[in-house]
Amino acid sequence: MALIITDECINCDVCEPECPNRAISQGEEIYEIDSDLCTECVGHYNTPQCVEVCPVSCIVGDPDRVENREQLMEKYQFLTTGANRVPQG
């Protein structure tokens, strides 16, 4: 599943540069994760790097965007090959 940042975010700025897919950006109040770009670092690392560096553990799975490892790998392949759309599914 894609990840989300909860309102416990303290805007510490450590997650954004860790994301290899550039899925994290500053929102109006806290950082946000673009679920179309989030692969939980599948294809890049063994674990989500934003989760690893978050000092307040505010990055969790998005229950509205459940994806298995195979789907995340498929999304990674689309993102890294320059495809214009993310697979639906």
Side-chain angles (χ1 to χ4, degrees):
M1 73 177 55
L3 301 171
I4 57 172
I5 298 175
T6 67
D7 59 4
E8 286 87 24
C9 177
I10 59 172
N11 291 310
C12 66
D13 304 320
V14 298
C15 61
E16 183 180 24
E18 295 300 318
C19 181
N21 295 327
R22 298 182 184 182
I24 301 174
S25 61
Q26 179 64 50
E28 286 188 36
E29 295 184 26
I30 61 173
Y31 278 88
E32 298 175 346
I33 298 177
D34 181 338
S35 59
D36 288 336
L37 299 176
C38 179
T39 63
E40 292 188 41
C41 292
V42 168
H44 295 283
Y45 301 102
N46 291 327
T47 58
Q49 297 302 287
C50 58
V51 173
E52 294 287 326
V53 299
C54 181
V56 294
S57 301
C58 68
I59 304 173
V60 297
D62 182 351
D64 295 329
R65 186 71 182 251
V66 178
E67 298 167 296
N68 63 35
R69 187 165 181 81
E70 182 179 294
Q71 291 168 313
L72 293 169
M73 180 57 83
E74 195 175 305
K75 187 190 311 184
Y76 160 79
Q77 290 170 341
F78 272 92
L79 293 171
T80 58
T81 60
N84 290 327
R85 67 174 192 83
V86 176
Q88 300 299 309

